[in-house]
Amino acid sequence: MFFDRPDSGELAILVHLELTRGGDPEDPREFEELALSAGADPVAFVTGQRAVPTAKYFIGTGKLEELKDLVQLHEAELVIFNHSLSPSQERNLEEALQCRVLDRTGLILDIFAQRARTFEGKLQVELAQLRHVATRLIRGWTHLERQKGGIGLRGPGETQLETDRRLLRVRIKSIEKRLEKVRKQRHQGRRSRQRASVSTVSLVGYTNAGKSTLFNKITDADVYVENQLFATLDPTMRRVELPDVGAAVLADTVGFISHLPHRLVQAFRATLEEAANSSLLLHVVDGAAEEREHNIEQVNEVLEEIDAAELPQLRVYNKIDLMTNMSPRIDRDEHGVPVAVWLSAQSGEGVDLLLTAIAEILGEDVLQEQLKLKADQGRLRAMLYQHNAVLNENYSDDGSSELEVRIPKADLFRILSAVDLEYKDLGWLRPTNNFN
């Protein structure tokens, strides 16, 4: 029902008003990109300015007449507003214009419906759509609405509107139960990674910032990449090996957008929890975009909504190949900790610097110490070499050896578990407070 697509682009008229009294204004260029991403064929772009929207039509009567003429002139099938419309405004506009009317939230939901590939992704989109549709059920089927008593006036006991609402509630509950199972499965996966001390690094950022291109470059994956908004909808995870850190999981997530509908954030909470439980967030930014700072603010707002704002974050400025006199580099704070990396995911310039920065941030859990092994601890020595953890080794006459080791603490614990030893049982040559 929700995933049938028209064979060709629908003729659409786009409407964008500048509201002089209001919050953060929408971007008309981004609006046009959204419409094109949805498969619309814009034939006219109507702009205007008002202090506040009208209660009945959102736009004024003069602008409404202009829209009527344009719909008839171009035989448009759809009018899309770059604003959130109330159910009554949407209904009044459809009645006046005699064509379908869609607001910004409905447009984004439609794009998500097109992009969903996995079963989980389709469920999440359908949930968001059903919650949106539930607010827009109109009072039709009046011949079934007779519930009062009297001869000839007895109805079926439930109006069609009530039936629709009940069916929607049943379907919403069914989807929520399925998504709860998905959430539990993801939680179990995270717990197993935590037990194995495998770090999760999540790519977050504004839509079309280049997250999937960067993901493919790092992991040699084949995630769908296209120069359009919301090209990636379904989350993808890959195992990567980081220098001095070892194994980690890199997660590609759905892109954020200005005024991302709250319903979508709710529906995609199972997916976004991966980002909220990451060891590190890679905030990918389109470095060449004029609205770069605005996009960063919008992403941070969504991160706050999913309780991920306090996580360690590394800013990744992408697309330096589109910027003049810009070369790859790492920006550091006063303590020398990486805070930003400038790179081009398309050409691969600076990706090695990004891996270095990630390893430095996660590598705070890397141990480098002097260790003395007894002659009968050959298995432990072999496993340290197997993990490339031995930097230097000296032998003694009694058969013991002194090793300089550098190894992620997680890997060391796995080795000690395999040889049935405790950290305190090892012969460290100098006191260390790396473990308590």
Side-chain angles (χ1 to χ4, degrees):
M1 171 182 173
F2 288 103
F3 296 94
D4 295 336
R5 312 298 324 142
D7 294 333
S8 59
E10 296 177 88
L11 299 179
I13 295 173
L14 309 184
V15 181
H16 172 83
L17 291 188
E18 294 288 344
L19 300 175
T20 55
R21 288 190 216 161
D24 193 14
E26 307 290 3
D27 184 356
R29 291 173 302 174
E30 183 179 82
F31 174 44
E32 191 168 5
E33 288 181 33
L34 281 170
L36 292 171
S37 294
D41 183 8
V43 292
F45 198 123
V46 177
T47 60
Q49 190 174 44
R50 287 188 66 86
V52 291
T54 65
K56 187 172 184 179
Y57 294 113
F58 192 89
I59 54 177
T61 53
K63 194 65 67 176
L64 181 65
E65 291 301 318
E66 181 184 344
L67 269 179
K68 283 182 184 178
D69 294 340
L70 287 171
V71 168
Q72 293 176 357
L73 175 64
H74 297 286
E75 297 182 349
E77 307 159 89
L78 180 64
V79 174
I80 309 175
F81 279 72
N82 192 23
H83 310 275
S84 292
L85 301 176
S86 69
S88 61
Q89 287 171 339
E90 197 171 296
R91 185 165 64 250
N92 293 336
L93 284 165
E94 287 185 344
E95 187 177 341
L97 300 175
Q98 290 299 298
C99 71
R100 286 192 302 117
V101 174
L102 202 62
D103 68 353
R104 181 183 173 87
T105 299
L107 177 61
I108 294 175
L109 285 171
D110 185 85
I111 296 173
F112 271 52
Q114 295 181 53
R115 302 286 187 268
R117 296 290 182 269
T118 65
F119 177 68
E120 177 194 349
K122 290 181 180 181
L123 277 180
Q124 291 174 135
V125 172
E126 186 180 354
L127 177 61
Q129 287 184 314
L130 287 173
R131 285 172 171 164
H132 185 65
V133 168
T135 66
R136 280 157 167 72
L137 286 179
I138 60 174
R139 195 172 291 277
W141 299 78
T142 53
H143 63 289
L144 295 179
E145 289 187 348
R146 297 175 298 182
Q147 289 185 312
K148 57 187 177 181
I151 297 174
L153 295 177
R154 295 183 180 89
E158 183 178 46
T159 68
Q160 184 64 35
L161 183 64
E162 290 168 341
T163 302
D164 290 344
R165 285 174 174 162
R166 178 173 53 80
L167 292 175
L168 276 175
R169 285 196 300 270
V170 169
R171 180 61 179 162
I172 286 173
K173 286 182 179 178
S174 172
I175 294 175
E176 285 176 339
K177 284 182 179 178
R178 293 187 186 183
L179 288 176
E180 184 60 33
K181 290 182 180 179
V182 172
R183 188 175 289 114
K184 289 179 179 177
Q185 290 170 352
R186 289 188 179 276
H187 180 65
Q188 289 172 351
R190 283 194 297 271
R191 285 188 62 186
S192 63
R193 289 198 298 272
Q194 288 169 357
R195 283 195 297 267
S197 297
V198 176
S199 301
T200 300
V201 180
S202 292
L203 293 165
V204 298
Y206 210 77
T207 181
N208 206 27
K211 296 183 297 298
S212 295
T213 303
L214 181 59
F215 183 86
N216 287 342
K217 188 67 69 173
I218 294 174
T219 64
D220 292 325
D222 192 23
V223 171
Y224 176 69
V225 173
E226 190 62 53
N227 185 25
Q228 59 187 16
L229 302 183
F230 297 118
T232 301
L233 181 59
D234 301 304
T236 308
M237 305 180 78
R238 290 289 188 277
R239 180 187 176 96
V240 294
E241 291 291 332
L242 297 172
D244 295 330
V245 175
V249 172
L250 186 66
D252 188 17
T253 62
V254 61
F256 303 151
I257 196 169
S258 177
H259 304 143
L260 186 67
H262 186 68
R263 293 185 184 88
L264 280 178
V265 177
Q266 286 182 318
F268 279 77
R269 186 162 292 278
T271 300
L272 294 174
E273 278 178 359
E274 286 297 341
N277 289 276
S278 298
S279 309
L280 175 65
L281 296 179
L282 298 185
H283 183 167
V284 183
V285 180
D286 183 350
E290 294 179 9
E291 58 280 2
R292 186 172 73 192
E293 295 303 319
H294 171 265
N295 294 350
I296 291 173
E297 290 176 8
Q298 295 299 317
V299 171
N300 287 334
E301 284 182 14
V302 179
L303 290 176
E304 283 188 18
E305 193 167 347
I306 64 173
D307 300 323
E310 301 302 320
L311 292 176
Q313 189 179 123
L314 177 64
R315 196 75 53 80
V316 181
Y317 290 98
N318 187 26
K319 305 187 183 181
I320 63 169
D321 51 311
L322 303 179
M323 306 168 69
T324 56
N325 301 322
M326 183 61 68
S327 57
R329 72 170 192 268
I330 299 177
D331 293 342
R332 302 176 183 274
D333 63 13
E334 63 274 13
H335 303 294
V337 178
V339 292
V341 179
W342 298 76
L343 55 75
S344 168
Q346 187 69 40
S347 67
E349 290 182 281
V351 173
D352 55 336
L353 295 179
L354 174 62
L355 295 177
T356 299
I358 296 173
E360 283 189 39
I361 294 172
L362 298 179
E364 292 179 356
D365 287 334
V366 174
L367 175 75
Q368 184 168 346
E369 293 291 346
Q370 299 286 337
L371 175 64
K372 185 172 183 176
L373 295 183
K374 301 174 184 176
D376 60 354
Q377 292 181 314
R379 187 181 175 207
L380 174 57
R381 175 180 175 276
M383 294 187 73
L384 289 171
Y385 268 100
Q386 188 178 348
H387 281 75
N388 297 317
V390 180
L391 302 179
N392 191 24
E393 183 176 15
N394 295 311
Y395 294 95
S396 301
D397 294 337
D398 60 358
S400 63
S401 58
E402 294 180 4
L403 286 71
E404 183 182 359
V405 295
R406 178 178 172 82
I407 184 172
K409 297 175 184 177
D411 287 349
L412 178 60
F413 270 122
R414 279 194 289 270
I415 292 173
L416 293 178
S417 177
V419 298
D420 198 24
L421 281 174
E422 296 286 339
Y423 176 82
K424 57 183 174 54
D425 296 332
L426 297 180
W428 300 106
L429 295 180
R430 61 173 179 261
T432 173
N433 293 320
N434 283 291
F435 298 94
N436 293 319

